[in-house]
Amino acid sequence: MKTLFGLTTLCSLFALVPASEASTGYPFYGDPPDATHPWAVHDWNRPQPPRVEPQPYDAVKAKAPTGAVVLFDGSAESLSANWEADQNGHEPTKWVMKDGAMECTPGSGYIRTKETFGDCQLHVEWSAPTKVQGESQGRGNSGVFLMGLVEIQVLDNYNNPTYADGFACSVYGVKPPLANALRPPGEFQSEDITFHRPIYQDGKCTQPGWVTVYCNGVLVQDRAQLEGGTGHMVRAKPGPMPETGPLKLQDHGNPVRYRNIWYRPLPSQAPAGGYNGPMTAEAAAVKRKEIAADIRAAAAKLANPEKPMAEFYRLAESLYYDKDQAILTKVEQTASQYVINLKLLSTEQLTAKKDEAKHLRDVLKYLARWQVIDADFSAKTGLDQIIKDQNWDKRN
Ligand code: MG
């Protein structure tokens, strides 16, 4: 949220100092350093990102994969179907179509998607005006606002220093990009973003939010931790975010163009039932019960009193996801009966069962190792004895 006042103040004060002084720092502006942030917000003493030359644009790689939600395909229909003015009500945007791109009409306001979404892989392409005008934050400024709350800065920094945390592909006011991999103004920049909102439970952050950004194929944000929604001149304040929000693009007074915008929704982070590291014990227990229930449903379809072992193996497998006394009893009874039957066989019949019996032995050994069954379970020790007596473990 760059207020006109803030921008005007910055620009007018820069006009008062020589360029050499401006490049070494402009103090007394954003929130000052604090215990965990050694730089002020928008601190010119923070190093500029190093230059990295990107590869040329790759139209094939930039195409939406199957299953992606296309938010803008370069057509006027796509613009009107998916986007609206970011204001009360649902008014069409005043941004305009130009050569297969949508262009910000300065002064018309932000634009937002009609659809809302949360965690995602997002692809956006943008281009700063070919005609270079303005300096620092005044040159080709716009922004990609994830969920309408977190700005990934859009700015023409091709040959244009600015405060590092306001650089193109910065998490605005929070985290400068790792590199300046921009193409010249007028060319399209490809931005690929992975976004995870923070997870709060009972008012506590149990999993921070993260954002990863590739600019023209170059990694520029490497799982940067989100400290909350971004703002201008102020520290981001940690706090919960809604589950979804609209994607917004900023009108910062420059005719920046966008094209080829798509996203893939991503599962939420653990512990909200997602992935990425261990779940909480509660979430894992719920998931384990679900998996066990699926396996037991599959086992039920294999039930056959004449051939009980197919069902047996699936039921036994389900036990290490979820302990269940009735199923354990059934598994133990089936194993016990199998071993009793083995003992009734002739030597020849028994030999024909060698591989099957050894497989059951391995399964019982595994289950005992992980305390699903007791190590001295009688069917297990009985089977071990048969295999020993038959010398079946001997290598030929
Ligand atoms: Mg911006």
Side-chain angles (χ1 to χ4, degrees):
M1 278 19 88
K2 271 153 256 178
T3 61
L4 199 54
F5 172 75
L7 190 70
T8 308
T9 308
L10 176 66
C11 294
S12 58
L13 279 171
F14 264 121
L16 299 176
V17 292
S20 58
E21 285 184 35
S23 65
T24 55
Y26 174 68
F28 317 121
Y29 187 59
D31 286 355
D34 65 22
T36 55
H37 301 88
W39 284 286
V41 173
H42 310 328
D43 194 336
W44 279 81
N45 293 304
R46 201 165 184 174
Q48 295 284 295
R51 176 72 191 159
V52 170
E53 285 301 324
Q55 294 297 322
Y57 178 74
D58 186 333
V60 175
K61 272 190 186 165
K63 274 190 181 172
T66 58
V69 180
V70 176
L71 294 169
F72 181 61
D73 65 4
S75 69
E77 295 74 30
S78 168
L79 177 59
S80 59
N82 298 308
W83 299 81
E84 61 189 12
D86 182 33
Q87 59 192 35
N88 289 333
H90 300 282
E91 297 295 319
T93 176
K94 292 194 171 67
W95 291 31
V96 293
M97 288 294 307
K98 266 189 194 167
D99 304 326
M102 62 161 117
E103 182 177 288
C104 172
T105 301
S108 69
Y110 289 32
I111 188 173
R112 71 178 175 224
T113 54
K114 295 179 182 177
E115 182 173 341
T116 66
F117 52 96
D119 295 13
C120 64
Q121 174 191 349
L122 174 69
H123 178 87
V124 177
E125 294 174 24
W126 58 269
S127 166
T130 310
K131 188 178 176 193
V132 172
Q133 279 186 320
E135 289 183 15
S136 185
Q137 295 287 305
R139 186 184 298 182
N141 194 333
S142 181
V144 173
F145 280 71
L146 302 163
M147 286 180 56
L149 298 171
V150 175
E151 182 180 11
I152 307 301
Q153 175 68 307
V154 166
L155 193 68
D156 175 10
N157 286 118
Y158 184 68
N159 192 12
N160 176 36
T162 190
Y163 43 81
D165 68 14
F167 217 88
C169 295
S170 62
V171 179
Y172 186 76
V174 179
K175 186 82 169 48
L178 296 166
N180 172 3
L182 293 171
R183 302 188 177 111
E187 288 190 29
F188 273 89
Q189 323 285 341
S190 248
E191 214 163 293
D192 289 284
I193 299 171
T194 308
F195 166 69
H196 287 289
R197 69 189 174 89
I199 303 297
Y200 277 73
Q201 288 178 326
D202 302 325
K204 277 186 66 179
C205 181
T206 52
Q207 196 67 249
W210 306 97
V211 65
T212 295
V213 180
Y214 287 83
C215 177
N216 297 326
V218 176
L219 181 64
V220 292
Q221 295 288 350
D222 183 11
R223 256 173 86 77
Q225 186 170 329
L226 295 177
E227 300 186 12
T230 57
H232 181 56
M233 298 173 69
V234 294
R235 290 259 172 242
K237 298 261 184 316
M241 292 182 185
E243 287 191 14
T244 66
L247 178 69
K248 295 185 183 183
L249 304 177
Q250 186 183 44
D251 169 14
H252 200 284
N254 300 130
V256 173
R257 291 181 295 155
Y258 288 89
R259 71 177 186 192
N260 191 20
I261 305 175
W262 53 261
Y263 79 93
R264 294 175 59 245
L266 294 177
S268 204
Q269 298 191 97
Y275 62 100
N276 260 356
M279 290 180 166
T280 61
E282 295 80 8
V286 169
K287 181 54 78 178
R288 286 173 65 153
K289 275 191 184 297
E290 282 175 20
I291 298 167
D294 286 347
I295 295 172
R296 285 163 191 164
K301 292 179 185 161
L302 299 171
N304 180 354
E306 302 298 315
K307 294 181 177 174
M309 297 312 284
E311 182 190 18
F312 162 86
Y313 283 117
R314 300 265 31 210
L315 289 178
E317 181 189 352
S318 79
L319 288 171
Y320 57 74
Y321 293 94
D322 175 48
K323 285 191 164 57
D324 181 292
Q325 187 54 51
I327 289 179
L328 176 62
T329 302
K330 185 172 179 178
V331 161
E332 288 181 339
Q333 284 172 346
T334 307
S336 298
Q337 190 59 55
Y338 183 91
V339 175
I340 289 167
N341 291 346
L342 274 190
K343 288 178 179 169
L344 299 175
L345 298 178
S346 68
T347 306
E348 196 175 301
Q349 288 169 323
L350 186 59
T351 303
K353 294 280 186 185
K354 176 181 169 184
D355 291 343
E356 193 179 288
K358 285 182 71 176
H359 177 57
L360 176 60
R361 185 272 313 269
D362 292 345
V363 168
L364 295 177
K365 189 174 166 188
Y366 180 96
L367 294 175
R369 180 181 167 207
W370 295 104
Q371 290 90 46
V372 176
I373 61 171
D374 292 335
D376 60 357
F377 170 47
S378 60
K380 178 183 178 298
T381 52
L383 189 56
D384 287 344
Q385 192 60 50
I386 292 171
I387 288 167
K388 193 177 173 192
D389 292 345
Q390 297 298 317
N391 214 10
W392 281 344
D393 280 335
K394 185 185 159 204
R395 291 193 180 171
N396 295 320

